[in-house]
């Protein structure tokens, strides 16, 4: 299930914030940006995140919060996290066998990568 | 950047530095070890317990999380006759492990912002059955620009803390990790460098010293007697839950 149908908006908060610039050794002020995530499924909550403008880790922190928002929506939808997992906004079964390596491991558990093959004469 | 060490400091500035929601914000949101305040030595003045007294002055000089990698890891066992036990985070290589919410960290003086894999894997139903490996996928875009004759990786320590800020383990890369020059790694063996040119570090491939250390003509840094990658102990189970990584 894809839950990437949401809107992300930003706006400035009314009050500026203080921070210490280690390069100039000065206390400075900066605008604070509020990011809001609103899902098009109205049953899911809106989430907000505030960070000062030009924060050196701005994008990583917003991305990290977006990941947490995704997991909160996943929980709000009532999925059992022992059975399901969400990655890149897609909810899927946690232990579903999908890629070729997994398939081979289950079909041939003693494959060549695990036990070296021997020819019949050696046996 | 940090918060000011003296003078004006308000809760709005604390939130603007560490990040946080715009409503329903409580001071306990910023307890050390919480979602927004990493349990690392730079934040040692900030209380950990949600019932501890906490005030703005606790945050004088407190540091945001830029330099550390902080994630909530998971566990996964592949099952089958040759099970593998995984601990940590993975955006794509290990499907059942949770993705990384924090993808940035500093290694030496170099900042990385697109880390997509951080996990350990060992053999056996519960781990510790034999082979062990440690995988980190750093930014692919950096390519070889941070590898070479002045490697930032050689003997690099990765200190891993838990949610209380207690050191759980220290992983040390080999003493020739990251070197690419034929003058340092014998010609034809540059393929052994770790991390490789796509930014993937794999402990089991960090073995140039193993292959060429016995060569008496091998130049420094291949000469030191013991330069293999090393983990303090365990199978990586300390990556199952909140963890923070320091590598600078």
């Amino acid at each position: 299930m894809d839950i990437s149908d949401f809107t992300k908006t930003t706006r400035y908060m009314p009050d500026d914030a203080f921070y210490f610039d280690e390069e100039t050794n000065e206390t400075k002020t900066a605008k604070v940006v509020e990011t809001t995530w609103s899902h098009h499924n109205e049953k899911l909550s809106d989430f907000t995140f505030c960070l000062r403008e030009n924060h050196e880790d701005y994008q990583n922190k917003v991305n990290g919060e977006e990941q947490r928002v995704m997991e909160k929506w996943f929980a709000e939808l009532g999925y059992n996290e022992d059975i399901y997992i969400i990655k890149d906004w897609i909810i899927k079964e946690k232990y579903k066998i999908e890629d070729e390596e997994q398939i081979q491991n289950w079909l041939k558990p003693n494959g060549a990568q695990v036990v070296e093959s021997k020819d019949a004469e050696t046996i | 950047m940090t918060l000011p060490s003296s003078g004006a400091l308000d809760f709005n500035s604390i939130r603007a530095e560490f990040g946080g929601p715009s409503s329903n914000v409580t001071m306990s949101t910023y307890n050390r070890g919480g979602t927004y305040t990493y349990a690392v030595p730079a934040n040692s003045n900030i209380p950990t317990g949600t019932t501890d007294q906490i005030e703005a002055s606790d945050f004088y000089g407190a540091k945001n999380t830029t330099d550390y990698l902080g994630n909530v890891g998971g566990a996964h066992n592949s099952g089958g006759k040759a099970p593998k036990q995984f601990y940590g985070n993975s955006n794509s290589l290990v499907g059942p492990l949770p993705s990384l919410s924090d993808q940035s960290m500093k290694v030496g003086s170099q900042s990385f912002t697109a880390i997509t894999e951080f996990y350990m894997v060992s053999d056996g139903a519960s781990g510790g059955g034999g082979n062990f490996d440690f995988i980190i996928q750093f930014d692919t875009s950096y390519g070889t620009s941070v590898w070479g004759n002045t490697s930032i990786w050689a003997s690099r320590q990765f200190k891993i803390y838990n949610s209380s800020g207690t050191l759980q383990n220290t992983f040390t890369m080999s003493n020739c990790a990251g070197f690419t020059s034929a003058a340092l790694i014998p010609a034809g063996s540059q393929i052994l460098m770790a991390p490789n040119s796509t930014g993937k570090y794999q402990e089991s491939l960090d073995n140039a010293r193993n292959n060429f250390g016995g060569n008496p003509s091998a130049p420094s840094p291949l000469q030191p007697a013991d330069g293999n990658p090393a983990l303090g102990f365990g199978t990586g189970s300390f990556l199952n839950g909140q963890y923070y990584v320091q590598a600078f």
Side-chain angles (χ1 to χ4, degrees), chain B residues 2-9 14 42 45-46 55-63:
Chain B
T2 63
L3 287 167
S5 299
S6 61
L9 180 60
I14 294 170
N45 287 339
I46 302 171
E55 51 193 320
S57 60
D58 292 333
F59 290 83
Y60 276 137
K63 195 166 183 59

Side-chain angles (χ1 to χ4, degrees), chain A residues 26-82:
Chain A
E26 290 177 301
T27 296
K28 296 179 176 177
T29 60
K31 290 184 176 299
V32 179
V33 180
E34 180 195 54
T35 305
T36 302
W37 289 267
S38 303
H39 204 279
H40 294 174
N41 179 346
E42 293 178 353
K43 292 178 182 175
L44 298 178
S45 307
D46 288 354
F47 292 101
T48 58
F49 183 70
C50 297
L51 202 63
R52 67 174 161 75
E53 197 171 41
N54 299 326
H55 191 292
E56 62 179 346
D57 201 24
Y58 186 90
Q59 198 55 53
N60 181 58
K61 282 181 175 293
V62 171
N63 290 346
E65 187 65 14
E66 190 162 293
Q67 178 83 15
R68 284 187 281 274
V69 167
M70 182 181 76
E71 288 165 3
K72 287 174 184 172
W73 282 339
F74 173 65
E76 286 187 4
L77 287 167
Y79 282 93
N80 183 341
E81 62 179 21
D82 291 332

Side-chain angles (χ1 to χ4, degrees), chain B residues 144 146-151 176-187 189-191 193-197:
Chain B
T144 55
V146 292
W147 290 269
N149 297 348
T150 54
S151 170
C176 46
F179 283 98
T180 59
S181 168
L184 297 170
I185 304 289
S189 61
Q190 285 90 337
I191 194 172
M193 69 181 185
N196 65 20
S197 59

